[in-house]
């Protein structure tokens, strides 16, 4: 195959059948759509190019016209800068595309959580701006959140930024409605699969593919996979975070199931070691969730069926993420005291305290208040006198044992009270006699009008 531009290589990715000896499904053919083979390495290549193309081609045409007229061509600053609220694969693809068209790219986020992605973005010449934020994701309803305010500034008329706006841009979904979905049907000899299983991030790929498949066959069943609450899987949102995305529509999915980070890694290892597919954790989550769902329904089938899941990107960008959670895979000892090992029932019964009672407790000067949010969220607003220990570092501390004296009461706070509940349960299990989670987190504290300070 010969192309005049690397962008022509985006799409038309392989659909690979997973060996039944691996997944164990006797009456369902399971296929992986290998979006990791897009030229920039992920499923986001399609959306990035589809969203940016109108801006970039118009900019190129304008610059060409100016040069033809004998005037000096516009500088990159005059033509604008491509900007996206992204810290992952969308940012990576846009950085490449912007550079190809002589423009700069800025990634705006309140938490760059994968160091390999950050390093790659810097290598590609991207500018990274980390803004304070009260929650870990863009929340359009938080009118005083710096990340939300920046998002609104980007959308104002006359903005010099070329804002692709992946969370709300219908061209994100369109890229998969016109490309990924029809490709699946074509590779299945003109048939839509009986099942489509997709991880939910911006919801662009799951929504676009689901629409395309159902247009071909309305009976297609769609399973959306989200990260377990208080868990972090790169590229996947929790159900609460998904509801903050403009493209997300719960009606797209027949069912929405959660996958834990440990399950995502187990699925990833199966794809890596048994199938030769160098998928990252998102693809691992899709595989694990697909097999779990299909095993549950297989006994009810009367005819052979087919199912498709998407392998979003490659494993190499997530080695530090995997190492933190599974050091044993790299020759180290298996981690101890992990919040991921706690059963849901234990988390639900973790010691917790409401805002009013927490204020009274803090007023006694007894508890050490630990804020588990990112440094940027903490800098924006926090409880006066609280100590900021970001959740990943806090988990590392716990692997070595109790990080606090048993004689000092502890109040844990996170954005909405989910991560803090998990850690409160773990610290209680580890023997701390008085640790509590702030119910509803910093958001509940703010909404109750309780005082917050800013750095």
């Amino acid at each position: 195959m010969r192309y005049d531009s690397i962008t022509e290589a985006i799409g038309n990715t392989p659909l690979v059948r997973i060996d039944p000896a691996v997944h164990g499904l006797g009456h369902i053919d399971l296929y992986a759509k290998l979006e990791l083979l897009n030229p920039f390495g992920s499923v986001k290549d399609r959306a990035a190019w589809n969203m940016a193309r109108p801006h970039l081609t118009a900019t190129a045409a304008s610059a060409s016209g100016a040069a033809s007229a004998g005037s000096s061509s516009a500088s990159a600053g005059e033509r604008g800068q491509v900007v996206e609220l992204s810290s992952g694969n969308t940012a990576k693809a846009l950085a490449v595309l912007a550079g190809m068209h002589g423009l700069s790219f800025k990634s705006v986020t309140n938490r760059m959580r994968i160091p390999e992605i950050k390093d790659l973005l810097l290598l590609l010449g991207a500018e990274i701006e980390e803004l304070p934020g009260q929650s870990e994701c863009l929340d359009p309803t938080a009118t005083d959140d710096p990340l939300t305010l920046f998002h609104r500034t980007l959308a104002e008329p006359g903005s010099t930024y070329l804002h692709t706006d992946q969370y709300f841009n219908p061209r994100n979904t369109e890229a998969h409605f016109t490309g990924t979905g029809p490709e699946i049907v074509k590779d299945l000899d003109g048939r839509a699969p009986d099942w489509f299983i997709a991880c939910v991030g911006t919801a662009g790929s799951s929504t676009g593919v689901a629409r395309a498949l159902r247009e071909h066959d309305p009976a297609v069943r769609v399973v959306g996979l989200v990260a377990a609450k208080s868990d972090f899987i790169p590229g996947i949102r929790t159900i609460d975070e998904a509801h903050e995305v403009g493209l997300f529509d719960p009606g797209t999915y027949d069912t929405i199931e959660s996958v834990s980070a440990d399950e995502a890694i187990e699925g990833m290892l199966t794809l890596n070691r048994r199938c030769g597919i160098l998928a990252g954790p998102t693809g691992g989550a899709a595989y694990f969730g697909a097999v779990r769902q299909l095993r549950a329904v297989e006994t009810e089938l009367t005819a052979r069926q087919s199912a498709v899941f998407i392998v979003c990107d490659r494993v190499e960008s997530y080695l530090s993420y995997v190492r933190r959670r599974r050091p044993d895979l790299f020759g180290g000892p298996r981690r101890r005291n992990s919040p991921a090992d706690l059963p849901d029932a234990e988390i639900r019964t973790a010691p917790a305290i409401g805002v009013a009672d927490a204020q009274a407790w803090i007023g006694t000067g007894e508890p050490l208040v630990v804020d588990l949010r990112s440094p940027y969220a903490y800098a924006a607003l926090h409880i006066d006198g609280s100590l900021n220990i970001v959740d990943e570092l806090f988990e590392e501390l716990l692997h070595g044992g109790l990080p606090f004296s048993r004689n000092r009461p502890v109040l844990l706070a996170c954005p909405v009270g989910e991560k803090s509940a998990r850690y409160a349960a773990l610290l209680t299990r580890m023997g701390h006699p008085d640790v509590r989670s702030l119910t509803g987190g910093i958001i509940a504290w703010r909404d109750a009008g309780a005082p917050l300070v800013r750095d």
Side-chain angles (χ1 to χ4, degrees):
M1 293 177 285
R2 176 177 171 176
Y3 302 117
D4 293 323
S5 170
I6 191 65
T7 58
E8 296 176 17
I10 297 174
N12 292 310
T13 55
L15 187 70
V16 174
R17 182 172 178 264
I18 303 297
D19 188 342
V22 174
H23 56 66
L25 299 168
H27 303 286
I28 300 176
D29 295 313
L30 181 61
Y31 295 89
K33 179 68 168 166
L34 301 189
E35 290 296 291
L36 80 170
L37 296 181
N38 276 304
F40 314 138
S42 85
V43 67
K44 299 295 188 179
D45 293 10
R46 296 181 188 257
W49 180 228
N50 203 49
M51 292 186 298
R53 185 169 56 224
H55 301 296
L56 297 178
T57 54
T59 298
S62 175
S64 176
S68 299
S71 61
S72 60
S73 60
S75 69
E78 291 169 335
R79 284 182 274 154
Q81 181 180 49
V82 180
V83 177
E84 182 55 80
L85 275 65
S86 169
S87 58
N89 286 317
T90 303
K92 179 174 66 173
L94 287 170
V96 176
L97 292 167
M100 289 173 59
H101 291 79
L103 298 178
S104 61
F105 171 74
K106 177 189 284 189
S107 167
V108 180
T109 177
N110 68 359
R111 194 165 186 185
M112 187 68 71
R113 302 185 70 163
I114 305 297
E116 293 94 335
I117 296 293
K118 183 174 184 177
D119 288 344
L120 182 55
L121 286 174
L122 293 173
L123 186 69
L124 293 171
E127 177 185 351
I128 299 173
E129 182 170 356
E130 296 188 70
L131 293 178
Q134 295 167 8
S135 61
E136 298 301 335
C137 300
L138 174 68
D139 182 359
T141 65
T143 55
D144 58 347
D145 189 295
L147 198 63
T148 303
L149 292 173
F150 187 85
H151 180 264
R152 293 184 177 182
T153 300
L154 291 174
E156 290 177 354
S159 171
T160 59
Y161 292 115
L162 304 181
H163 181 210
T164 41
D165 200 13
Q166 64 170 338
Y167 296 108
F168 297 91
N169 192 337
R171 292 185 67 88
N172 182 345
T173 302
E174 179 189 83
H176 303 284
F177 176 73
T178 60
T180 319
E183 289 172 20
I184 292 172
V185 172
K186 178 183 177 182
D187 288 340
L188 290 177
D189 300 322
R191 298 176 292 105
D194 298 283
W195 295 86
F196 173 56
I197 299 95
C199 294
V200 180
T202 65
S205 59
S206 59
T207 301
V209 172
R211 288 178 183 171
L213 297 181
R214 283 175 170 156
E215 188 174 89
H216 193 82
D217 181 357
V220 173
R221 282 156 290 184
V222 178
V223 179
L225 298 173
V226 296
K229 289 193 174 187
S230 304
D231 223 337
F232 169 59
I233 304 173
I236 312 179
R237 294 189 162 222
T238 66
I239 187 61
D240 295 330
E241 293 168 345
H243 280 287
E244 297 170 0
V245 180
L247 299 177
F248 176 73
D249 177 6
T252 299
Y253 314 94
D254 292 285
T255 183
I256 298 177
E257 305 290 340
S258 65
V259 181
S260 71
D262 282 350
E263 291 169 341
I265 291 174
E266 285 301 321
M268 179 195 78
L269 291 174
T270 299
L271 292 175
N272 296 168
R273 296 177 174 183
R274 299 289 307 280
C275 305
I277 298 173
L278 297 185
T282 312
Y287 172 78
F288 189 97
V291 172
R292 183 179 60 190
Q293 175 70 25
L294 298 172
R295 281 177 179 165
V297 302
E298 189 178 31
T299 56
E300 304 170 4
L301 300 182
T302 57
R304 192 165 194 83
Q305 293 192 348
S306 61
V308 172
F309 68 96
I310 290 178
V311 177
C312 298
D313 59 9
R314 298 178 62 88
V315 66
E316 291 91 341
S317 293
Y318 303 102
L319 294 180
S320 63
Y321 169 85
V322 177
R323 185 186 297 272
R324 283 198 303 271
R325 286 155 180 79
R326 290 289 305 275
D328 55 297
L329 296 174
F330 300 88
R334 194 168 180 95
R335 65 186 181 182
R336 298 170 54 240
N337 304 325
S338 170
D341 297 333
L342 295 171
D344 289 341
E346 194 168 340
I347 297 169
R348 286 194 297 270
T349 58
I353 187 170
V355 172
D357 290 337
Q359 283 186 272
W361 194 31
I362 292 172
T364 67
E366 291 184 6
L368 172 65
V369 183
V370 179
D371 190 321
L372 301 169
R373 298 174 301 153
S374 74
Y376 298 95
Y378 178 83
L381 288 171
H382 59 268
I383 298 172
D384 192 20
S386 61
L387 173 67
N388 183 213
I389 307 179
V390 68
D391 59 337
E392 287 100 335
L393 176 58
F394 192 67
E395 181 172 346
E396 290 298 320
L397 292 174
L398 294 183
H399 293 335
L402 277 175
F404 311 115
S405 167
R406 287 179 170 83
N407 298 324
R408 182 74 186 273
V410 177
L411 173 62
L412 300 175
C414 69
V416 293
E418 294 169 355
K419 291 179 181 177
S420 58
R422 188 177 291 269
Y423 284 115
L426 180 58
L427 283 166
T428 300
R429 174 188 277 196
M430 292 169 64
H432 197 290
D434 193 5
V435 58
R436 309 178 203 179
S437 167
L438 177 61
T439 303
I442 299 298
I443 300 301
W445 183 280
R446 177 200 68 189
D447 293 345
L452 290 166
V453 299
R454 187 186 307 270
D455 277 355

